[in-house]
Amino acid sequence: MAERKQKDEITKLTFEQAIGQLKEIVTRIEQGQIPLQDSLDQYEKGMALIKHCRDILQKAEKRIEKISKDEPPEPPPEEDPEPLLRG
Amino acid sequence: MQTKTKIYTVSQVNSLVKDVLAAHLPSWLTIKGEITDWKPHQSGHCYFSLKDAESVLPCAMWRSSFSKVKFKPANGLAVLVTGSIDLYVPQGRYKLIADEMIPAGMGALQLAFEQMVRKLEAEGLFAESHKKPIPRYPGRIGILTSESGAALHDIADSVHNRWPCTRLALYPVPVQGPGTAEAIAAAIADVNRRNDRLKLDLLIVGRGGGSLEDLWAFNEEVLARAIFASRIPIISAVGHEVDVTVADLVADARASTPTKAGVVAVPDREEVLSDLRNQERRLSGSMRSRFGLYGEYLRTVLASAVFRNPLLPVRNREQYLDDLCGDLGDAMREVFFQAHKQVQDSYEQVARIEPHRLLGRVTVELNELKGRSLAAVTQALNHKNLQITAQENRLAGLNPRSVLNRGYSITQNLRTGHLVRAVGDVQIDDPLVTELAQEHRIESRVTKIDER
């Protein structure tokens, strides 16, 4: 349950947040600042963060959206406007 | 009419024009103009145009002539060029074949550019302290350029080739012509205003290379101020490497060309993946070494005597307890022995005192003392008796009554009570008593006093 929750939290992270957390974990474990049991948990989290970072890098879509200039105030624009180009 | 009409070939016409030009133009012309579209070719030949306010003249300068030019020609530079007009027959285009080129003061646009740079620099628009940091891993990048220009694809490819996971959003803007600077400035203000929804981490503003006048919008004040005011970091990517615009100076970072935008805007995917692998190795390595270390601890602990013979401490303590019990018995025995010995010694001491013998000796002493003191007392008494007898004898001699025995008597006046020693001791009629030996007494009365 807790693992599942942690996994969900990790997949919500941006690349920058994920790699930031990963480097903190590596530093903590390398410096031996945490007890063994905690370091195991942190190790698993670190591995999950690495996987998440790789997923982000591999799920690249290489697409270009187009920002419409004449955005009407109501209703709000779609989340994902039509992609202009695909690379 | 038709029969009289002479039919020329294209080549004939071009050759004819070439001849006419050669016949009617001076063989050497010196022309004043501003360089534009400067294109040095790999071959060493240079192609460019000269322009003034109304007109443009295509030019070429061959390698042999260009090698004699002392300065570095560039777009916008006002120059004096000497050469001859020639028509290139295969294409029917004429151009000036430049033989010499000298600078003719600064071009107007160049001057305007330098003036703008000085003005905005004085206001601090280029100061490093105002540069916003470029995000390390931008998730969404807005591109402000022409929808139809090559720059869009140059920028998009350069970003995506390095970092494919960023999402690009095009905001189409004109990149040359009147009103361009105002349009781009408005676009920058627009995305900033709407960025809570657009969520752009970074903007790239740019276009491909061109003449100074083509790029001119990027030197205009209105655009410079819009870039400065943007809350979203902006990378400029304008023209060729040698082109530096005001926009480049005020932007938070500058890519020398649109194809370099990716290098400035995003990290390299391969480098990041390599870093990830490195982090993974470090993580696993640390865990392995930590487990190794703890495993070693564990082995050391297991190898210790406690684990090899878990009852050993108990046995050790039992033995200690036994030793203590033995010691306690010995100690108690010693105490009893000492106490017993003391009692024995005391008894012997007491026995050695022998009270009956002591008593006997004291009785003897006492008897002796008694004998001695009795003898002493007797002797003292005898001595005193002798002394007393002697004194008695002496006293007896002194006793007046002893004189009486020899016939003397003692007369006492009864009235005075004194002994009568002289005539004065008596008066007539005084009763006298005269004591004689044997305590015989004669009473008499004074009848006559003879004082002879």
PDB file of all heavy atoms in Angstrom, chain B residues 69-80:
ATOM      1  N   VAL B  69      41.806  43.134 -49.676  1.00  0.00           N
ATOM      2  CA  VAL B  69      40.993  43.998 -48.812  1.00  0.00           C
ATOM      3  C   VAL B  69      41.509  43.905 -47.377  1.00  0.00           C
ATOM      4  O   VAL B  69      41.652  42.818 -46.824  1.00  0.00           O
ATOM      5  CB  VAL B  69      39.504  43.582 -48.872  1.00  0.00           C
ATOM      6  CG1 VAL B  69      38.671  44.385 -47.892  1.00  0.00           C
ATOM      7  CG2 VAL B  69      38.989  43.776 -50.294  1.00  0.00           C
ATOM      8  N   LYS B  70      41.795  45.064 -46.767  1.00  0.00           N
ATOM      9  CA  LYS B  70      42.473  45.077 -45.473  1.00  0.00           C
ATOM     10  C   LYS B  70      41.510  44.860 -44.282  1.00  0.00           C
ATOM     11  O   LYS B  70      41.906  44.374 -43.254  1.00  0.00           O
ATOM     12  CB  LYS B  70      43.182  46.425 -45.271  1.00  0.00           C
ATOM     13  CG  LYS B  70      44.276  46.698 -46.314  1.00  0.00           C
ATOM     14  CD  LYS B  70      45.547  45.916 -45.979  1.00  0.00           C
ATOM     15  CE  LYS B  70      46.717  46.349 -46.860  1.00  0.00           C
ATOM     16  NZ  LYS B  70      46.517  45.991 -48.313  1.00  0.00           N
ATOM     17  N   PHE B  71      40.280  45.279 -44.429  1.00  0.00           N
ATOM     18  CA  PHE B  71      39.345  45.162 -43.294  1.00  0.00           C
ATOM     19  C   PHE B  71      38.365  44.021 -43.561  1.00  0.00           C
ATOM     20  O   PHE B  71      38.405  43.393 -44.616  1.00  0.00           O
ATOM     21  CB  PHE B  71      38.597  46.479 -43.103  1.00  0.00           C
ATOM     22  CG  PHE B  71      37.705  46.818 -44.256  1.00  0.00           C
ATOM     23  CD1 PHE B  71      36.344  46.573 -44.191  1.00  0.00           C
ATOM     24  CD2 PHE B  71      38.222  47.373 -45.424  1.00  0.00           C
ATOM     25  CE1 PHE B  71      35.534  46.861 -45.260  1.00  0.00           C
ATOM     26  CE2 PHE B  71      37.415  47.660 -46.488  1.00  0.00           C
ATOM     27  CZ  PHE B  71      36.065  47.406 -46.415  1.00  0.00           C
ATOM     28  N   LYS B  72      37.518  43.776 -42.552  1.00  0.00           N
ATOM     29  CA  LYS B  72      36.574  42.670 -42.687  1.00  0.00           C
ATOM     30  C   LYS B  72      35.213  43.234 -43.091  1.00  0.00           C
ATOM     31  O   LYS B  72      34.519  43.839 -42.268  1.00  0.00           O
ATOM     32  CB  LYS B  72      36.461  41.941 -41.344  1.00  0.00           C
ATOM     33  CG  LYS B  72      35.888  40.557 -41.470  1.00  0.00           C
ATOM     34  CD  LYS B  72      35.954  39.831 -40.134  1.00  0.00           C
ATOM     35  CE  LYS B  72      35.281  38.478 -40.246  1.00  0.00           C
ATOM     36  NZ  LYS B  72      35.203  37.819 -38.948  1.00  0.00           N
ATOM     37  N   PRO B  73      34.844  43.065 -44.326  1.00  0.00           N
ATOM     38  CA  PRO B  73      33.554  43.620 -44.748  1.00  0.00           C
ATOM     39  C   PRO B  73      32.417  42.929 -44.000  1.00  0.00           C
ATOM     40  O   PRO B  73      32.515  41.757 -43.664  1.00  0.00           O
ATOM     41  CB  PRO B  73      33.473  43.287 -46.243  1.00  0.00           C
ATOM     42  CG  PRO B  73      34.868  42.943 -46.648  1.00  0.00           C
ATOM     43  CD  PRO B  73      35.520  42.360 -45.443  1.00  0.00           C
ATOM     44  N   ALA B  74      31.376  43.689 -43.734  1.00  0.00           N
ATOM     45  CA  ALA B  74      30.231  43.108 -43.043  1.00  0.00           C
ATOM     46  C   ALA B  74      28.983  43.869 -43.456  1.00  0.00           C
ATOM     47  O   ALA B  74      29.061  45.004 -43.942  1.00  0.00           O
ATOM     48  CB  ALA B  74      30.422  43.191 -41.534  1.00  0.00           C
ATOM     49  N   ASN B  75      27.878  43.231 -43.222  1.00  0.00           N
ATOM     50  CA  ASN B  75      26.605  43.870 -43.565  1.00  0.00           C
ATOM     51  C   ASN B  75      26.461  45.192 -42.826  1.00  0.00           C
ATOM     52  O   ASN B  75      26.839  45.313 -41.668  1.00  0.00           O
ATOM     53  CB  ASN B  75      25.447  42.952 -43.187  1.00  0.00           C
ATOM     54  CG  ASN B  75      25.390  41.730 -44.093  1.00  0.00           C
ATOM     55  OD1 ASN B  75      25.766  41.813 -45.271  1.00  0.00           O
ATOM     56  ND2 ASN B  75      24.957  40.606 -43.538  1.00  0.00           N
ATOM     57  N   GLY B  76      25.909  46.169 -43.509  1.00  0.00           N
ATOM     58  CA  GLY B  76      25.656  47.465 -42.882  1.00  0.00           C
ATOM     59  C   GLY B  76      26.816  48.424 -43.013  1.00  0.00           C
ATOM     60  O   GLY B  76      26.691  49.594 -42.656  1.00  0.00           O
ATOM     61  N   LEU B  77      27.927  47.890 -43.457  1.00  0.00           N
ATOM     62  CA  LEU B  77      29.111  48.736 -43.554  1.00  0.00           C
ATOM     63  C   LEU B  77      29.006  49.595 -44.820  1.00  0.00           C
ATOM     64  O   LEU B  77      28.728  49.084 -45.907  1.00  0.00           O
ATOM     65  CB  LEU B  77      30.338  47.824 -43.628  1.00  0.00           C
ATOM     66  CG  LEU B  77      31.632  48.386 -43.067  1.00  0.00           C
ATOM     67  CD1 LEU B  77      31.499  48.680 -41.592  1.00  0.00           C
ATOM     68  CD2 LEU B  77      32.749  47.385 -43.334  1.00  0.00           C
ATOM     69  N   ALA B  78      29.227  50.904 -44.661  1.00  0.00           N
ATOM     70  CA  ALA B  78      29.252  51.792 -45.837  1.00  0.00           C
ATOM     71  C   ALA B  78      30.630  51.713 -46.465  1.00  0.00           C
ATOM     72  O   ALA B  78      31.639  51.828 -45.776  1.00  0.00           O
ATOM     73  CB  ALA B  78      28.940  53.215 -45.418  1.00  0.00           C
ATOM     74  N   VAL B  79      30.664  51.467 -47.750  1.00  0.00           N
ATOM     75  CA  VAL B  79      31.958  51.261 -48.428  1.00  0.00           C
ATOM     76  C   VAL B  79      31.990  52.002 -49.767  1.00  0.00           C
ATOM     77  O   VAL B  79      30.950  52.384 -50.322  1.00  0.00           O
ATOM     78  CB  VAL B  79      32.220  49.754 -48.679  1.00  0.00           C
ATOM     79  CG1 VAL B  79      32.527  49.046 -47.386  1.00  0.00           C
ATOM     80  CG2 VAL B  79      31.034  49.109 -49.394  1.00  0.00           C
ATOM     81  N   LEU B  80      33.204  52.201 -50.268  1.00  0.00           N
ATOM     82  CA  LEU B  80      33.420  52.669 -51.642  1.00  0.00           C
ATOM     83  C   LEU B  80      34.013  51.493 -52.396  1.00  0.00           C
ATOM     84  O   LEU B  80      35.066  50.979 -52.019  1.00  0.00           O
ATOM     85  CB  LEU B  80      34.393  53.841 -51.661  1.00  0.00           C
ATOM     86  CG  LEU B  80      33.878  55.152 -51.070  1.00  0.00           C
ATOM     87  CD1 LEU B  80      34.988  56.194 -51.024  1.00  0.00           C
ATOM     88  CD2 LEU B  80      32.689  55.672 -51.868  1.00  0.00           C
TER      89      LEU B  80
END
